[in-house]
Amino acid sequence: MLTCPIDETVPVNSELVVLLIVIVTALAFDFTNGFHDTANAMATSIATGALKPKAAVALSAVLNLVGAFLSVEVAKTVSGGLFKIDSITHMALLHIVFAGLIGGILWNLLTWLFGIPSSSTHALFGGLIGSTIASLGWSGVIWNGDATHGVLNKVIVPALLSPVVAGVVAAIGTYGVYKLTSRVNQTKVSTGFRIGQIGSASLVSLAHGTNDAQKTMGVIFMALVAHGTVHSSDSIPVWVKVCCALAIASGTYLGGWRIIRTLGKGLVEVDSPQGFSAESSSAAIILTSAQFGLPLSTTQVVTGSIMGTGIGKPGGEVRWGVLGRMALAWLLTLPLAGLVGAICWWIAHSIGGIGGALVDVLILVALSGYMYLRSRKDPVDKDNVNDDWHDDGSPPSRQATPTAGAAA
């Protein structure tokens, strides 16, 4: 049961201010999750021309919004199945959650800057694990619990299996599609699958909202329990669901063009039958996991599916160097986001109260601002997202000066 003893040494108004900071930061993470993961649903549809870039991100945003209301099983896992936080004070738990969120946000922004489709899920969990270890020690994390608890069962095992399973399913599906349509006019095949991609990409967006928005719901719910606003046995408040849904949808509409380019053009040169196969297999796996409360990385599932289409297509090709860079980022996500979470917890804890939280906010704003300004040197947007891929991973050339904000 998730409960926290009352810490009478901390003024109630200080706890409330820190709670509000945590909620705003959680929604900021949800926003970065949205634009970081837009590529999961729409990269292949944009790459094949099934959807225009701005229409694709708008459609994805709407469906992320809807998907956020379909289930709360993943939110329950995040809020109660990974950490032993029932014996610490309200303020201490708020600092743990806050520091973990900063670790997740900064890793999301760093990987976005380099166009690497890493896992927002694991960035969040890494940040929370790091801040929890810094506060409570290694015993504060439930490493190996039962079927419904534990980092190993709920995070590590799904992370290892999901891209492999997605790759196998997509490879089989892609091979079957090309085999069945080998005697059909290929122009008609491409046109038909482009139309089909609208539906399959929409399903991935719906699945993404169902899986990813709930992670932020779980974090905010954890903070509310820490503050004493709700009890661990209560349902997640409607306003939390609405705010998280709007945050992830807004981020999705912004469009994470740098990552869309990597998934749509960098890993595999995707044709419409491949795109349809990748999206269909991804949606099936993500929706199934959401019903079992498994907080899968949609990025890893989609990446595995796209890789599988390159293997399954006769004569297809996977750029293994690009995949290797992705895999390295995946391996580093948990420890590096955890390191940031631990450092931010130490700063907040050392200073204490509202002051500690505000110093962490300043660090977050400064580093986020730097990464945004750095991105303006080689912007990627809807106008050049489909340019030919350079083997060295360098950004596409530009024919015109970008408008402000387009690099997101």
Side-chain angles (χ1 to χ4, degrees), residues 18 39 50 70 92 106 112 123 145 166 178 187 234 236 281 296 305 309 313 332 355 360-361 376 379 382 398 400:
V18 174
L70 297 184
L106 290 179
W112 160 77
Y178 279 102
T187 300
D234 293 340
I236 294 176
S281 59
L296 285 187
S305 295
T309 66
K313 178 185 176 181
L332 294 176
D360 276 347
V361 168
R376 300 301 302 150
K382 62 182 178 63
R398 294 195 58 81

Side-chain angles (χ1 to χ4, degrees), residues 15 29 54 68 110-111 146 202 254 302 316 339:
E15 284 187 357
F29 170 81
K54 289 303 292 184
L110 181 65
T111 50
D146 56 26
S202 297
L254 183 65
V302 172
L339 178 62

Side-chain angles (χ1 to χ4, degrees), residues 33-46 60 64 116-121 200-209 211-212 215 248 252 256 259-261 263-264 275 278-280 282-283 286 296-306 330:
N33 191 350
F35 79 75
H36 196 279
D37 289 2
T38 308
N40 295 342
M42 292 299 171
T44 57
S45 293
I46 292 172
S60 186
N64 266 277
I116 300 174
S118 71
S119 170
S120 298
T121 301
S200 58
S202 297
L203 195 56
V204 176
S205 293
L206 191 70
H208 181 264
N211 193 281
D212 278 44
K215 295 158 192 170
I248 198 169
T252 301
I259 300 175
I260 289 174
R261 174 168 170 76
L263 275 181
E279 291 157 0
S280 299
S282 298
I286 295 167
L296 285 187
S297 163
T298 54
T299 300
Q300 291 184 351
V301 172
V302 172
T303 301
S305 295
I306 293 174
W330 294 353

Side-chain angles (χ1 to χ4, degrees), residues 4-312:
C4 289
I6 296 175
D7 183 1
E8 296 181 352
T9 65
V10 180
V12 173
N13 60 336
S14 296
E15 284 187 357
L16 179 59
V17 171
V18 174
L19 173 66
L20 293 175
I21 292 174
V22 170
I23 291 173
V24 171
T25 307
L27 293 176
F29 170 81
D30 206 23
F31 182 84
T32 67
N33 191 350
F35 79 75
H36 196 279
D37 289 2
T38 308
N40 295 342
M42 292 299 171
T44 57
S45 293
I46 292 172
T48 63
L51 287 166
K52 297 295 184 183
K54 289 303 292 184
V57 297
L59 177 61
S60 186
V62 172
L63 291 168
N64 266 277
L65 181 69
V66 174
F69 294 97
L70 297 184
S71 172
V72 294
E73 294 304 316
V74 172
K76 291 178 182 177
T77 296
V78 174
S79 62
L82 301 176
F83 308 103
K84 298 176 183 177
I85 50 179
D86 57 349
S87 60
I88 60 176
T89 64
H90 294 174
M91 186 63 83
L93 179 53
L94 289 173
H95 279 164
I96 287 174
V97 174
F98 178 57
L101 285 166
I102 293 177
I105 291 173
L106 290 179
W107 183 256
N108 270 356
L109 292 177
L110 181 65
T111 50
W112 160 77
L113 177 63
F114 289 101
I116 300 174
S118 71
S119 170
S120 298
T121 301
H122 296 156
L124 173 60
F125 288 152
L128 291 172
I129 289 170
S131 60
T132 300
I133 292 173
S135 176
L136 305 177
W138 291 88
S139 61
V141 179
I142 303 173
W143 296 104
N144 188 16
D146 56 26
T148 59
H149 296 80
V151 171
L152 180 63
N153 293 334
K154 286 293 188 178
V155 180
I156 303 298
V157 172
L160 294 174
L161 292 181
S162 60
V164 177
V165 172
V168 170
V169 172
I172 294 172
T174 302
Y175 178 80
V177 163
Y178 279 102
K179 195 72 172 177
L180 291 171
T181 60
S182 61
R183 299 179 182 276
V184 182
N185 181 283
Q186 292 304 300
T187 300
K188 293 182 179 179
V189 169
S190 296
T191 301
F193 277 108
R194 285 195 190 100
I195 296 172
Q197 274 192 275
I198 298 174
S200 58
S202 297
L203 195 56
V204 176
S205 293
L206 191 70
H208 181 264
T210 304
N211 193 281
D212 278 44
Q214 290 185 51
K215 295 158 192 170
T216 307
M217 293 180 199
V219 169
I220 293 178
F221 186 73
M222 190 189 305
L224 293 174
V225 172
H227 182 257
T229 303
V230 300
H231 191 270
S232 60
S233 61
D234 293 340
S235 300
I236 294 176
V238 173
W239 69 265
V240 173
K241 297 179 182 178
V242 171
C243 288
C244 291
L246 289 173
I248 198 169
S250 300
T252 301
Y253 182 71
L254 183 65
W257 302 111
R258 307 174 84 84
I259 300 175
I260 289 174
R261 174 168 170 76
T262 300
L263 275 181
K265 301 294 291 185
L267 184 58
V268 175
E269 286 290 343
V270 180
D271 290 333
S272 53
Q274 293 172 277
F276 179 81
S277 299
E279 291 157 0
S280 299
S281 59
S282 298
I285 292 170
I286 295 167
L287 286 172
T288 300
S289 70
Q291 294 307 307
F292 287 99
L294 294 174
L296 285 187
S297 163
T298 54
T299 300
Q300 291 184 351
V301 172
V302 172
T303 301
S305 295
I306 293 174
M307 177 192 68
T309 66
I311 296 172

